[in-house]
Amino acid sequence: MDLLLTLPILIPLTWSLVLYPVRRRRALSHAIAITGATLLLGATALLLVFLVSGKGIEVVTIGSWPPPYGIVLVADLLSAAMLLVCALVSWAAVVYSTDWIDPGREQAGYYSLVFALLLGVNGAFLTGDLFNLYVWFEVMLMASFVLLVLGVERGQVEGGIKYVSLNLLASTFFLSATGILYGIAGTLNFADLSRVLESVDPHILNVVAALFGIAFGIKAGVFPLFFWLPASYHTPPVPVSALFAGLLTKVGVYALIRVFTLLFVHDPGWTHRILLACAALTMLTGVLGALAQHDVRRILSFHIISQIGYMIFGLALLTPLGLASSVFYLIHHIVVKTNLFFIGGLLERRFGTGLLDRVGGLFRTQAWLGVLFLIPAFSLAGIPPLSGFVAKLLVIRAGLAAHAYLATTIAVVVGLLTLLSMLKIWNEAFWKAPPVPAVVNERPGPYSVQVLLPIFVLASVTVFLGLAGEPILAVAQRAAEQLLDRHGYQAAVFSIVAESVGTGG
Amino acid sequence: MSTLPSLILRTAVRWISPLLLLFSLFLLLRGHHEPGGGFSGGLVAATGFALLTFGFSLETARRVLRVAPTTLVAVGIAVALASGAGAFLLRSPFLTGIWFKLPLTSTMVIELGTPLLFDVGVYLTVIGATLTMLFSFAEE
């Protein structure tokens, strides 16, 4: 068990190291990278199965130092589900990259960096310690920043600068808030914190909660701190964008869910009401921003923001159904959004640009690509029977059950506007006549297996989640129950202490 | 470096750099129970190379280091990883320290353990990372 729980961290670290010396040998590094991604997928799937069939929370004391003094890794169902979905999309992104990424970037250590990014992401999902979470966030930030500006000319790093400066600001907030919290509670272990904070003056906690809200809000792209995201996500190569779109903001959402269910539940009338307002505004501004855009990847970037709103909405309700909807939405969104970026990439490759007024007529030559696009696009908009329908239905039901009528109305309207903006891409890229001066196809010929396989796999996962998603929904509901059961979390972490004391270890 | 560095600096560096490297090893080895350790040791060692860069030239520092600083980072992380993964052989959690007692004489016993190996990894990584930054700034 110790090994299985540590593997999501060990595999990316090992592969990041192994891929570095072979970075100049293309075929070999591709084979190693795909093997690593597949292994990670297998390990995380095994972990989830193990947790679902077992007691649901597993804890490992790193270095055998007992909590709250040592750092623990804690995997509950939310962590395990996030690990699995992230492993799935990173597998897809690695396979896609083997066709897409140019040799220059590969020789600079592209695959090492991808696995370093996964190291940060997986570490953030697994850690049971607040300061350790900060460290994993930094690992993730550094790897993503290098991926963002890798192979870019000096003048083109504007998006990267915005990305890194906003994220460093978020890290500063995170670190200050962590310091204040340590001053208040004297511990940073999640389980210990949640125990200690129950008897702390709620007014001070409100301030700390606001600081954490800002820090993770920037990372997650929540209104009003989202503008770094659309400024940077359309600049790097497509697989990098797709990976970022799938993973990075979702780690922020995960952190928000973690701290606002485990630590800051002292005054939900204040903290969670603010979250609800932010969620509604995030949904709305994201989708309105998308309507104003004319570049495929920019439209998709704005939709990430609007979808983040739905996830925060479920969290803000703090009901079992609300949290279950957040968890399901996270799973659905990561798969769909990554896939949309992949397909957007094929569009850009076909026409040499992602600007909608310079593309068109794709349905005449490649109707199958249009159908393939419609699966994630309709899923994003929430059309049955795809995964987005289930996710949106859950959010709306949770909203109505909690009497948050205004925010629920916004969620419904935003769903319609999302459909509008997906249809805009469809109309412009697939349906309208081809652009008048025929664009030279940079790389003609049929698409390779490496770019099509990930799209097919992710599309079938989307269909599966919609048609036969009950097991996943059951996992989401159990995860939500776990999130609301703080004493269960505390007991799971501290039972490790009892065990190690009992065996004299 | 457009102008030639001063003679005083160069003469001093000739003596100070080796001493700094020696001191860094001392810090690394005493670090487990007393102040010191891989991180501070690594920084001190990197200072030695930094002085070489300023006192002589970038080429001198690179030549003395022999390997590329990024390689040092990779090797350092690999060493740290290996030191932690050894714990799995004993069915303990990752990074659990494994200790050996090494009797030198009848009264002196040295305790060696995987935490020292981990510190060596940190030491190499810190030297590598610091010098990667320093060298790329010095190139400009």
Side-chain angles (χ1 to χ4, degrees), chain A residues 73-337:
Chain A
L73 297 184
V74 185
D76 62 359
L77 286 175
L78 173 65
S79 312
M82 294 298 289
L83 283 170
L84 177 58
V85 187
C86 287
L88 175 70
V89 297
S90 43
W91 174 84
V94 166
V95 174
Y96 196 90
S97 298
T98 55
D99 180 74
W100 194 282
I101 297 297
D102 52 294
R105 282 195 173 85
E106 287 187 341
Q107 283 171 14
Y110 172 80
Y111 293 107
S112 283
L113 287 164
V114 169
F115 279 96
L117 180 70
L118 290 180
L119 171 69
V121 171
N122 289 352
F125 288 147
L126 276 174
T127 185
D129 183 279
L130 197 56
F131 185 75
N132 199 230
L133 181 66
Y134 169 80
V135 175
W136 291 124
F137 261 110
E138 290 303 292
V139 171
M140 199 170 78
L141 177 63
M142 286 307 131
S144 60
F145 182 57
V146 181
L147 276 174
L148 197 62
V149 296
L150 193 68
V152 173
E153 292 300 312
R154 196 171 276 244
Q156 296 171 290
V157 296
E158 193 205 336
I161 298 289
K162 277 182 195 155
Y163 172 81
V164 83
S165 46
L166 250 294
N167 274 286
L168 280 178
L169 181 70
S171 297
T172 316
F173 272 107
F174 188 176
L175 197 58
S176 329
T178 308
I180 297 171
L181 199 58
Y182 187 67
I184 295 170
T187 177
L188 287 175
N189 177 284
F190 276 144
D192 204 26
L193 267 178
S194 90
R195 191 175 56 80
V196 173
L197 291 187
E198 280 169 9
S199 53
V200 168
D201 178 12
H203 293 95
I204 302 175
L205 279 189
N206 278 346
V207 177
V208 185
L211 284 175
F212 275 108
I214 295 170
F216 296 140
I218 294 178
K219 306 256 183 207
V222 174
F223 179 87
L225 302 161
F226 59 85
F227 42 87
W228 59 270
L229 194 154
S232 55
Y233 272 24
H234 62 103
T235 49
V238 172
V240 177
S241 288
L243 201 57
F244 284 13
L247 304 186
L248 295 188
T249 46
K250 263 51 90 189
V251 184
V253 176
Y254 167 84
L256 277 174
I257 293 181
R258 188 59 79 201
V259 298
F260 281 101
T261 57
L262 192 59
L263 307 184
F264 305 117
V265 283
H266 54 282
D267 186 7
W270 193 78
T271 49
H272 289 68
R273 188 164 295 168
I274 292 179
L275 278 178
L276 188 63
C278 285
L281 287 169
T282 309
M283 287 190 259
L284 207 57
T285 42
V287 85
L288 292 180
L291 286 176
Q293 298 298 321
H294 283 282
D295 178 279
V296 175
R297 273 202 270 172
R298 271 179 176 268
I299 295 178
L300 294 177
S301 302
F302 270 101
H303 276 297
I304 297 177
I305 297 161
S306 109
Q307 307 285 309
I308 295 286
Y310 284 91
M311 299 164 205
I312 309 294
F313 185 21
L315 165 65
L317 298 174
L318 206 64
T319 58
L321 190 59
L323 282 168
S325 75
S326 287
V327 176
F328 193 87
Y329 214 108
L330 271 166
I331 298 170
H332 138 77
H333 174 83
I334 292 174
V335 175
V336 162
K337 186 51 85 178

Side-chain angles (χ1 to χ4, degrees), chain A residues 16-41:
Chain A
S16 181
L17 285 171
V18 169
L19 281 163
Y20 184 72
V22 299
R23 64 190 185 282
R24 284 177 216 288
R25 300 174 61 180
R26 246 192 134 192
L28 184 62
S29 67
H30 288 175
I32 294 178
I34 293 176
T35 316
T38 316
L39 274 178
L40 184 62
L41 189 58

